[in-house]
Amino acid sequence: MHSMLRIGITGGIASGKSTIVKFISGKGIPVVDADIISREVLELYPKIIDYLKGKYGNLVFKDGVLDRKELGRIIFSSDKDRKAYTDVIMPFIRLEIEKRLDRLESEGCEAAILDAPLLFEEGFEKDMDASILVYADPLVQLQRLMKRNGITEEEAKRMISSQMPVQKKLELADYVVDNSGDLERTKEEIDMVFMKMGIYFEEENS
């Protein structure tokens, strides 16, 4: 049993999850970011780089430096490549997440957020006390992704379809926050969710 409340937060790509996590972080809740960890483990655990060099070589390494954008393009375009890469990197990500949450708990934190795009896909929610899904209407999500990444509609749809269907995530999440429209309304929803978990944010001075 953890003395610190562990809250997993996830959302489809371009759901606006990062904005929501920033809002929660601004309220004083520490955040462990699985995406950042997924990049940091490449430096922390050389076995991952060795795997990528062996599998892709000059396709993803330019002058010995990993081209993350090209790696992402390859992984998103092939289910087989994505699964193989995930199988290699995920144990290291899981290890680092646990280390960082344990450290926050040992420092006496009341609650912490795990910001994880693959919260449900990788079963991280099983180690959490609660899970929050940041939801966006599919059309809003598609338009945001095309604009944010400067990609075609086809590429955006492929990236979205590579993730777990949102309907499945809606079934798995303990709490759902709709981020399709007005951000202030979304922030009010977040306040309500945290109140239900026994965490009360201080009112912002206007």
XYZ file of all heavy atoms in Angstrom, residues 18-88:
566
model
N -1.154 17.417 -22.531
C 0.014 18.148 -22.005
C -0.387 19.452 -21.332
O 0.172 19.830 -20.299
C 1.014 18.433 -23.130
O 1.492 17.227 -23.670
N -1.374 20.131 -21.909
C -1.870 21.389 -21.322
C -2.503 21.124 -19.956
O -2.293 21.885 -19.006
C -2.919 22.029 -22.258
O -2.316 22.236 -23.531
C -3.410 23.360 -21.709
N -3.239 20.025 -19.862
C -3.903 19.661 -18.602
C -2.870 19.273 -17.545
O -2.971 19.666 -16.377
C -4.913 18.509 -18.837
C -5.972 18.910 -19.859
C -5.547 18.081 -17.520
C -6.667 20.220 -19.596
N -1.868 18.519 -17.959
C -0.813 18.109 -17.020
C -0.065 19.340 -16.507
O 0.255 19.426 -15.318
C 0.160 17.107 -17.693
C 1.392 16.879 -16.828
C -0.545 15.781 -17.949
N 0.176 20.294 -17.389
C 0.855 21.547 -16.987
C 0.023 22.298 -15.948
O 0.554 22.835 -14.976
C 1.083 22.416 -18.226
C 2.039 23.579 -18.007
C 2.321 24.291 -19.320
C 3.220 25.494 -19.110
N 3.466 26.243 -20.363
N -1.279 22.308 -16.141
C -2.197 22.955 -15.191
C -2.114 22.275 -13.823
O -1.996 22.930 -12.790
C -3.625 22.903 -15.739
C -4.691 23.282 -14.745
C -4.812 24.589 -14.296
C -5.574 22.328 -14.263
C -5.799 24.940 -13.377
C -6.562 22.672 -13.349
C -6.672 23.974 -12.901
N -2.151 20.936 -13.814
C -2.081 20.179 -12.558
C -0.730 20.392 -11.877
O -0.654 20.605 -10.669
C -2.327 18.679 -12.814
C -3.742 18.453 -13.362
C -2.122 17.862 -11.540
C -3.983 17.058 -13.916
N 0.335 20.362 -12.671
C 1.683 20.589 -12.139
C 1.789 21.963 -11.490
O 2.423 22.127 -10.435
C 2.707 20.448 -13.271
O 3.997 20.765 -12.820
N 1.125 22.950 -12.128
C 1.127 24.313 -11.600
C 0.426 24.427 -10.259
O 0.617 25.403 -9.524
N -0.379 23.416 -9.930
C -1.070 23.375 -8.636
C -0.211 22.703 -7.556
O -0.667 22.506 -6.427
C -2.401 22.616 -8.776
C -3.397 23.284 -9.706
C -3.935 24.583 -9.142
C -5.084 25.131 -9.957
N -5.658 26.354 -9.369
N 0.993 22.300 -7.942
C 1.915 21.744 -6.952
C 1.981 20.233 -6.890
O 2.620 19.671 -5.998
N 1.326 19.560 -7.838
C 1.388 18.090 -7.886
C 2.562 17.692 -8.779
O 2.584 18.062 -9.964
C 0.088 17.474 -8.451
C -1.150 17.999 -7.716
C 0.161 15.948 -8.428
C -1.380 17.443 -6.347
N 3.550 16.950 -8.256
C 4.693 16.567 -9.097
C 4.285 15.594 -10.203
O 3.352 14.798 -10.030
C 5.666 15.909 -8.113
C 4.836 15.484 -6.952
C 3.680 16.428 -6.876
N 4.982 15.687 -11.335
C 4.653 14.882 -12.507
C 5.853 14.027 -12.917
O 6.968 14.526 -13.033
C 4.235 15.777 -13.697
C 4.011 14.946 -14.954
C 2.984 16.576 -13.353
N 5.597 12.751 -13.126
C 6.568 11.853 -13.746
C 6.100 11.655 -15.189
O 4.985 11.186 -15.422
C 6.645 10.496 -13.002
C 7.533 9.521 -13.761
C 7.167 10.698 -11.587
N 6.925 12.067 -16.145
C 6.542 12.091 -17.560
C 7.137 10.886 -18.290
O 8.345 10.804 -18.503
C 7.041 13.401 -18.186
C 6.527 13.617 -19.599
O 6.397 12.624 -20.337
O 6.258 14.776 -19.967
N 6.279 9.952 -18.685
C 6.745 8.721 -19.342
C 7.387 9.005 -20.695
O 8.303 8.288 -21.116
C 5.587 7.734 -19.497
N 6.914 10.047 -21.397
C 7.510 10.407 -22.686
C 8.956 10.871 -22.522
O 9.830 10.498 -23.304
C 6.691 11.514 -23.362
C 5.811 10.980 -24.483
O 5.890 9.763 -24.758
O 5.067 11.765 -25.084
N 9.185 11.715 -21.515
C 10.547 12.186 -21.245
C 11.424 11.000 -20.853
O 12.563 10.869 -21.331
C 10.551 13.268 -20.144
C 9.906 14.557 -20.674
C 11.967 13.540 -19.645
C 9.732 15.650 -19.646
N 10.884 10.129 -20.013
C 11.634 8.942 -19.597
C 11.974 8.066 -20.800
O 13.084 7.532 -20.899
C 10.854 8.141 -18.529
C 10.861 8.911 -17.202
C 11.448 6.745 -18.327
C 10.010 8.296 -16.113
N 11.039 7.961 -21.753
C 11.282 7.117 -22.936
C 12.446 7.650 -23.770
O 13.099 6.885 -24.486
C 10.024 7.015 -23.801
O 9.763 8.216 -24.486
N 12.724 8.965 -23.675
C 13.902 9.529 -24.345
C 15.146 9.377 -23.474
O 16.224 9.070 -23.968
C 13.659 11.011 -24.684
C 12.561 11.207 -25.713
C 12.537 12.613 -26.269
N 12.072 13.603 -25.317
C 10.810 13.931 -25.127
N 9.851 13.316 -25.800
N 10.471 14.865 -24.261
N 14.965 9.599 -22.180
C 16.117 9.532 -21.263
C 16.706 8.135 -21.141
O 17.917 7.992 -20.965
C 15.715 10.052 -19.881
C 15.481 11.553 -19.846
C 15.060 12.068 -18.483
O 14.732 11.256 -17.599
O 15.053 13.299 -18.307
N 15.855 7.102 -21.254
C 16.392 5.739 -21.118
C 17.382 5.406 -22.233
O 18.253 4.553 -22.066
C 15.275 4.651 -21.068
C 14.483 4.742 -19.779
C 14.377 4.697 -22.295
N 17.278 6.115 -23.365
C 18.240 5.908 -24.455
C 19.647 6.298 -24.020
O 20.635 5.727 -24.481
C 17.832 6.713 -25.690
C 16.534 6.279 -26.384
C 16.104 7.291 -27.414
C 16.694 4.916 -27.018
N 19.733 7.296 -23.112
C 21.040 7.716 -22.575
C 21.428 6.844 -21.373
O 22.603 6.528 -21.185
C 20.978 9.190 -22.123
C 20.296 10.146 -23.082
C 21.085 10.353 -24.353
O 22.322 10.179 -24.307
O 20.470 10.669 -25.391
N 20.435 6.454 -20.596
C 20.705 5.728 -19.346
C 21.052 4.259 -19.582
O 21.810 3.665 -18.815
C 19.481 5.814 -18.422
C 19.148 7.199 -17.857
C 17.775 7.190 -17.197
C 20.200 7.639 -16.845
N 20.480 3.679 -20.636
C 20.661 2.243 -20.872
C 21.173 2.012 -22.304
O 20.375 1.956 -23.248
C 19.341 1.495 -20.642
C 18.798 1.685 -19.241
C 17.799 2.622 -18.976
C 19.293 0.939 -18.173
C 17.305 2.808 -17.690
C 18.799 1.122 -16.881
C 17.813 2.053 -16.653
O 17.314 2.243 -15.378
N 22.491 1.866 -22.473
C 23.094 1.716 -23.816
C 22.576 0.523 -24.615
O 22.674 0.514 -25.839
C 24.590 1.531 -23.506
C 24.786 2.132 -22.145
C 23.507 1.905 -21.406
N 21.986 -0.455 -23.943
C 21.453 -1.639 -24.646
C 20.424 -1.228 -25.707
O 20.289 -1.897 -26.739
C 20.778 -2.586 -23.649
C 21.738 -3.438 -22.828
C 20.938 -4.380 -21.926
C 21.869 -5.200 -21.033
N 21.106 -6.057 -20.107
N 19.681 -0.157 -25.443
C 18.630 0.267 -26.383
C 19.261 0.802 -27.668
O 18.841 0.466 -28.776
C 17.710 1.334 -25.741
C 17.066 0.773 -24.463
C 16.638 1.786 -26.721
C 16.369 1.816 -23.614
N 20.297 1.638 -27.530
C 21.001 2.186 -28.692
C 21.648 1.058 -29.492
O 21.609 1.052 -30.726
C 22.070 3.223 -28.259
C 21.391 4.485 -27.681
C 22.984 3.602 -29.420
C 20.604 5.304 -28.692
N 22.220 0.085 -28.786
C 22.839 -1.072 -29.458
C 21.804 -1.808 -30.313
O 22.090 -2.218 -31.446
C 23.440 -2.041 -28.425
C 24.660 -1.455 -27.717
O 25.212 -0.464 -28.237
O 25.037 -1.985 -26.659
N 20.597 -1.952 -29.766
C 19.519 -2.626 -30.502
C 19.167 -1.836 -31.774
O 19.043 -2.413 -32.861
C 18.280 -2.761 -29.611
C 17.010 -3.056 -30.376
C 16.736 -4.347 -30.833
C 16.093 -2.039 -30.660
C 15.574 -4.615 -31.557
C 14.942 -2.299 -31.382
C 14.683 -3.588 -31.829
O 13.547 -3.841 -32.546
N 19.008 -0.513 -31.646
C 18.628 0.323 -32.793
C 19.709 0.325 -33.867
O 19.410 0.292 -35.064
C 18.330 1.754 -32.328
C 17.079 1.931 -31.459
C 16.995 3.341 -30.925
C 15.818 1.575 -32.248
N 20.992 0.360 -33.444
C 22.097 0.323 -34.408
C 22.105 -0.996 -35.162
O 22.309 -1.031 -36.384
C 23.432 0.525 -33.684
C 23.721 1.985 -33.327
C 25.059 2.128 -32.621
C 25.342 3.612 -32.340
N 26.544 3.794 -31.500
N 21.863 -2.078 -34.440
C 21.847 -3.395 -35.068
C 20.688 -3.585 -36.029
O 20.832 -4.222 -37.075
N 19.536 -3.002 -35.683
C 18.326 -3.218 -36.493
C 18.213 -2.239 -37.663
O 17.833 -2.629 -38.771
C 17.073 -3.115 -35.612
C 15.789 -3.517 -36.343
C 14.658 -3.718 -35.371
C 13.353 -4.063 -36.082
N 13.365 -5.392 -36.702
N 18.532 -0.959 -37.431
C 18.280 0.065 -38.451
C 19.542 0.726 -39.015
O 19.495 1.307 -40.092
C 17.350 1.155 -37.886
C 16.010 0.630 -37.454
C 15.631 0.636 -36.115
C 15.105 0.125 -38.379
C 14.393 0.151 -35.709
C 13.867 -0.361 -37.986
C 13.520 -0.349 -36.651
O 12.304 -0.830 -36.263
N 20.635 0.700 -38.262
C 21.890 1.283 -38.745
C 21.748 2.715 -39.229
O 21.170 3.560 -38.544
N 22.212 2.977 -40.466
C 22.235 4.343 -41.011
C 20.847 4.907 -41.328
O 20.723 6.091 -41.625
C 23.102 4.400 -42.278
C 24.570 4.172 -41.956
O 25.012 4.443 -40.840
N 25.321 3.664 -42.925
N 19.831 4.054 -41.270
C 18.472 4.558 -41.497
C 18.071 5.555 -40.423
O 17.353 6.525 -40.696
C 17.465 3.397 -41.500
C 17.364 2.538 -42.759
C 16.435 1.367 -42.523
C 16.888 3.367 -43.946
N 18.502 5.313 -39.189
C 18.099 6.191 -38.080
C 19.295 6.856 -37.379
O 19.098 7.618 -36.436
C 17.235 5.440 -37.026
C 15.940 4.951 -37.642
C 17.985 4.287 -36.401
N 20.502 6.579 -37.839
C 21.684 7.234 -37.258
C 22.370 8.077 -38.320
O 22.724 7.586 -39.390
C 22.662 6.200 -36.684
C 22.202 5.587 -35.394
C 21.433 4.432 -35.390
C 22.506 6.183 -34.171
C 20.981 3.873 -34.195
C 22.065 5.634 -32.975
C 21.296 4.476 -32.994
N 22.535 9.357 -38.035
C 23.237 10.278 -38.931
C 24.504 10.740 -38.221
O 24.420 11.392 -37.164
C 22.346 11.493 -39.255
C 20.961 11.130 -39.811
C 21.033 10.598 -41.226
C 19.645 10.358 -41.802
N 19.033 9.088 -41.394
N 25.657 10.361 -38.768
C 26.961 10.681 -38.145
C 27.006 10.191 -36.704
O 27.519 10.874 -35.806
C 27.239 12.195 -38.202
C 27.280 12.722 -39.628
O 27.846 12.014 -40.488
O 26.748 13.816 -39.883
N 26.428 9.014 -36.483
C 26.475 8.399 -35.154
C 25.439 8.901 -34.174
O 25.361 8.430 -33.045
N 24.621 9.892 -34.619
C 23.593 10.473 -33.728
C 22.210 9.962 -34.145
O 21.876 9.953 -35.328
C 23.623 12.024 -33.794
C 22.523 12.622 -32.919
C 24.988 12.541 -33.365
N 21.427 9.541 -33.159
C 20.090 9.018 -33.432
C 19.171 10.116 -33.960
O 19.027 11.179 -33.353
C 19.490 8.415 -32.152
C 18.071 7.868 -32.255
C 18.009 6.684 -33.218
C 17.548 7.460 -30.878
N 18.552 9.860 -35.113
C 17.550 10.764 -35.687
C 16.185 10.316 -35.160
O 15.558 9.400 -35.703
C 17.606 10.678 -37.217
C 16.642 11.642 -37.900
O 15.670 12.071 -37.241
O 16.845 11.966 -39.082
N 15.739 10.951 -34.080
C 14.511 10.523 -33.404
C 13.282 10.663 -34.296
O 12.357 9.848 -34.237
C 14.304 11.319 -32.111
C 15.363 11.044 -31.049
C 15.167 11.986 -29.851
N 16.272 11.938 -28.920
C 16.364 11.088 -27.911
N 15.419 10.200 -27.717
N 17.398 11.114 -27.094
N 13.266 11.699 -35.133
C 12.110 11.917 -36.003
C 11.981 10.773 -37.022
O 10.885 10.268 -37.262
C 12.239 13.262 -36.723
C 10.966 13.675 -37.432
C 11.022 15.123 -37.895
C 9.690 15.517 -38.518
N 9.688 16.905 -38.998
N 13.115 10.374 -37.596
C 13.100 9.276 -38.570
C 12.727 7.954 -37.890
O 11.972 7.146 -38.435
C 14.467 9.163 -39.248
C 14.497 8.170 -40.397
C 13.469 8.475 -41.484
O 13.165 9.669 -41.736
O 12.939 7.509 -42.064
N 13.259 7.756 -36.674
C 12.906 6.555 -35.909
C 11.400 6.517 -35.666
O 10.754 5.480 -35.855
C 13.657 6.522 -34.574
C 13.276 5.384 -33.618
C 13.623 4.021 -34.217
C 13.973 5.557 -32.264
N 10.833 7.654 -35.262
C 9.392 7.746 -35.023
C 8.588 7.444 -36.268
O 7.573 6.746 -36.216
N 9.059 7.950 -37.413
C 8.354 7.724 -38.682
C 8.315 6.227 -39.023
O 7.289 5.688 -39.422
C 9.056 8.498 -39.807
C 8.252 8.598 -41.080
C 8.974 9.449 -42.103
N 9.003 10.845 -41.736
C 8.014 11.705 -41.978
N 6.915 11.289 -42.575
N 8.117 12.971 -41.627
N 9.459 5.560 -38.829
C 9.550 4.117 -39.121
C 8.639 3.327 -38.183
O 7.869 2.458 -38.607
C 11.013 3.622 -38.988
C 11.861 4.182 -40.139
C 11.076 2.103 -38.987
C 13.354 3.956 -39.973
N 8.715 3.652 -36.896
C 7.960 2.898 -35.891
C 6.453 3.079 -36.074
O 5.685 2.128 -35.956
C 8.415 3.296 -34.462
C 9.806 2.704 -34.205
C 7.443 2.798 -33.410
C 10.485 3.245 -32.975
N 6.032 4.311 -36.393
C 4.592 4.557 -36.561
C 4.043 3.938 -37.844
O 2.839 3.731 -37.962
C 4.287 6.061 -36.544
C 3.964 6.588 -35.178
C 4.763 7.547 -34.571
C 2.851 6.133 -34.487
C 4.465 8.028 -33.305
C 2.537 6.611 -33.222
C 3.350 7.555 -32.632
N 4.904 3.645 -38.828
C 4.408 3.120 -40.104
C 4.362 1.591 -40.139
O 3.920 1.016 -41.118
C 5.268 3.642 -41.261
O 6.597 3.174 -41.133
N 4.828 0.945 -39.073
C 4.843 -0.518 -39.063
C 4.489 -1.059 -37.682
O 5.201 -0.803 -36.707
C 6.231 -1.023 -39.471
O 6.414 -2.376 -39.090
N 3.392 -1.809 -37.615
C 2.989 -2.422 -36.342
C 4.086 -3.344 -35.807
O 4.351 -3.376 -34.611
C 1.698 -3.233 -36.521
C 0.483 -2.341 -36.708
O 0.575 -1.147 -36.383
O -0.552 -2.837 -37.187
N 4.717 -4.081 -36.711
C 5.754 -5.037 -36.319
C 6.955 -4.319 -35.697
O 7.461 -4.710 -34.637
C 6.203 -5.847 -37.537
C 7.170 -6.975 -37.207
C 7.561 -7.735 -38.476
C 8.630 -8.779 -38.168
N 9.099 -9.452 -39.396
N 7.411 -3.233 -36.358
C 8.559 -2.472 -35.844
C 8.226 -1.798 -34.518
O 9.057 -1.742 -33.613
C 9.005 -1.408 -36.856
C 9.802 -2.006 -38.012
O 10.331 -3.123 -37.840
O 9.889 -1.373 -39.067
N 6.996 -1.271 -34.429
C 6.596 -0.583 -33.199
C 6.566 -1.550 -32.023
O 7.049 -1.240 -30.933
C 5.235 0.093 -33.372
C 4.826 0.952 -32.173
C 3.609 1.799 -32.449
N 2.425 1.017 -32.724
C 1.892 0.874 -33.931
N 2.432 1.450 -34.984
N 0.799 0.146 -34.111
N 6.026 -2.747 -32.264
C 5.950 -3.743 -31.185
C 7.350 -4.208 -30.764
O 7.638 -4.332 -29.571
C 5.112 -4.947 -31.619
C 4.920 -5.948 -30.472
C 4.099 -7.143 -30.855
C 3.842 -8.048 -29.658
N 5.028 -8.350 -28.843
N 8.216 -4.421 -31.747
C 9.582 -4.874 -31.437
C 10.323 -3.826 -30.607
O 10.996 -4.164 -29.620
C 10.338 -5.165 -32.731
N 10.176 -2.554 -30.995
C 10.848 -1.473 -30.269
C 10.272 -1.336 -28.858
O 11.005 -1.192 -27.880
C 10.695 -0.154 -31.032
C 11.354 1.022 -30.346
C 12.726 1.039 -30.106
C 10.612 2.141 -29.956
C 13.338 2.116 -29.485
C 11.214 3.221 -29.344
C 12.578 3.201 -29.101
O 13.182 4.268 -28.486
N 8.944 -1.425 -28.765
C 8.283 -1.321 -27.460
C 8.741 -2.434 -26.527
O 8.994 -2.200 -25.343
C 6.746 -1.361 -27.624
O 6.348 -0.267 -28.450
C 6.045 -1.227 -26.287
N 8.865 -3.644 -27.069
C 9.296 -4.789 -26.254
C 10.693 -4.578 -25.674
O 10.988 -5.027 -24.566
C 9.279 -6.080 -27.081
C 7.861 -6.576 -27.346
O 6.925 -6.071 -26.694
O 7.703 -7.456 -28.209
N 11.544 -3.880 -26.434
C 12.919 -3.622 -25.974
C 12.952 -2.503 -24.931
O 13.584 -2.617 -23.882
C 13.833 -3.258 -27.172
C 15.190 -2.727 -26.683
C 14.046 -4.475 -28.062
